[in-house]
Amino acid sequence: MFDDIDLEQPFKFLPVAGAAQRDAMAKLFAKRSIVQDIYGTPSPVLNFVSPNAPSTAGVQHYHQTVNGCASCVAFKFNNGVVMSADTLVSYGTMSRFTSVDRVFKLADRIMLGCSGEFSDFQYLQRNYAPWFMQKIFYNEIPYPEQFFKHITGLLYKERCKMRRLNINVIIGGITRACEAFLGRIDTRGTPTRAEACCTGMGQYLAMPLIKERFMQKHKPPINRKEAIKLIDTCMMVLHYRDCLAIRKYKMAICSPKGVEIIGPIKCHEDWSIAKGVIGYN
């Protein structure tokens, strides 16, 4: 039925368009595209695929963030670990949920923070809950280094099944030897232990502020009061610079006495500097 079609004027055979419309569309498509020069003129025959046809690609998993979380910031101080994250979960780029906790107390010596796809984190919560139930059943005290290995195994297992969780997890706490512990696990299940850990835009905006203080060897180690002030500065910078961050955040502090959740806190802001930005109205 398509043998008599002139491919140089592909709209000539359309009976629904008038002569003027056909001429305008023919002029629009008169020049051959680069794709046609390389691959040839496509066949006008349409190939329809039945929706009941078996898929040859297997199960496809969506890896783009839908309900996204912004940065999570954590670092050690002289006798513990401090961690902070804002309370926003964005639907795409819309600030949809503004009162969601992303910093959690899991035990007397373990705290956790996350960023990335929040629904993947909820899936992870359902998977690590039995680990705590087992510890409670056997009257064992959970420690952060054990939990860190457990979460690393969970994320790596999901990655090996080609359905990786699009989240970054930070775990902090006090070890069995009463030392500060801090580690980060990325979406591929790669573990990292460091003095300071950040996720998201915090790796570029907050980490330089933390490293600047850590490199000042002539000053004494960071105490609790200075750590809280530094966290507030980091969250303020993220609020200014990250479009997916908001002013309200929560903070978790882990010390040998236990884990304390503080907040929600509203960081200081001063938008008078915006008048010096070109294009600000």
Side-chain angles (χ1 to χ4, degrees):
M1 59 180 290
F2 295 98
D3 294 339
D4 56 343
I5 296 177
D6 185 2
L7 296 179
E8 295 297 326
Q9 295 183 358
F11 301 99
K12 185 177 181 180
F13 69 95
L14 296 177
V16 294
Q21 288 85 348
R22 289 201 303 268
D23 292 342
M25 295 172 73
K27 290 180 181 179
L28 182 63
F29 289 88
K31 295 183 179 180
R32 296 173 62 89
S33 66
I34 299 176
V35 176
Q36 288 178 335
D37 290 335
I38 298 176
Y39 298 103
T41 304
S43 172
V45 180
L46 301 179
N47 297 320
F48 293 98
V49 179
S50 172
N52 298 324
S55 174
T56 58
V59 179
Q60 301 295 307
H61 295 277
Y62 191 69
H63 293 300
Q64 300 297 322
T65 301
V66 179
N67 301 293
C69 308
S71 307
C72 183
V73 179
F75 58 87
K76 297 179 183 179
F77 60 95
N78 58 356
N79 60 345
V81 181
V82 61
M83 183 184 300
S84 180
D86 62 22
T87 59
L88 176 66
V89 173
S90 302
Y91 182 72
T93 56
M94 179 178 66
S95 299
R96 179 65 180 86
F97 309 101
T98 58
S99 298
V100 179
D101 294 342
R102 296 196 291 118
V103 174
F104 304 92
K105 173 185 176 181
L106 302 182
D108 291 337
R109 295 192 171 198
I110 304 175
M111 61 183 182
L112 179 145
C114 73
S115 67
E117 175 60 49
F118 195 74
S119 61
D120 284 349
F121 175 70
Q122 291 175 320
Y123 172 81
L124 184 66
Q125 282 181 311
R126 293 195 297 269
N127 280 269
Y128 70 62
W131 185 83
F132 281 99
M133 295 179 65
Q134 182 183 12
K135 292 291 182 181
I136 294 173
F137 181 79
Y138 289 106
N139 291 324
E140 297 179 2
I141 300 176
Y143 289 99
E145 61 269 30
Q146 301 170 343
F147 184 65
F148 184 74
K149 293 179 180 179
H150 179 67
I151 294 297
T152 300
L154 287 178
L155 291 176
Y156 187 75
K157 181 182 72 173
E158 296 297 327
R159 173 251 179 126
C160 292
K161 292 182 178 180
M162 303 303 292
R163 57 183 191 189
R164 63 179 177 87
L165 304 181
N166 192 16
I167 55 174
N168 289 274
V169 179
I170 296 179
I171 298 172
I174 302 297
T175 64
R176 191 188 302 267
C178 291
E179 297 177 352
F181 176 91
L182 183 62
R184 174 178 176 265
I185 312 167
D186 67 5
T187 181
R188 294 175 176 82
T190 305
T192 305
R193 295 177 60 173
E195 296 294 315
C197 296
C198 297
T199 63
M201 290 297 293
Q203 299 177 81
Y204 312 101
L205 300 176
M207 186 63 81
L209 301 175
I210 300 172
K211 284 187 175 181
E212 182 182 10
R213 175 58 184 88
F214 272 53
M215 291 176 64
Q216 297 174 356
K217 301 297 184 181
H218 61 281
K219 290 188 176 182
I222 304 176
N223 55 28
R224 178 189 173 102
K225 184 177 180 180
E226 189 179 0
I228 294 175
K229 184 178 179 180
L230 182 56
I231 277 286
D232 186 72
T233 303
C234 293
M235 300 309 295
M236 181 183 64
V237 172
L238 289 170
H239 172 50
Y240 282 149
R241 298 294 183 179
D242 189 357
C243 63
L244 296 179
I246 61 173
R247 183 183 178 187
K248 186 169 63 173
Y249 68 94
K250 277 195 171 185
M251 183 190 311
I253 301 176
C254 184
S255 64
K257 297 180 180 180
V259 177
E260 180 184 1
I261 303 294
I262 305 174
I265 307 169
K266 289 187 177 180
C267 62
H268 173 73
E269 61 178 3
D270 181 11
W271 292 105
S272 61
I273 61 174
K275 296 180 180 180
V277 179
I278 298 177
Y280 175 78
N281 295 320

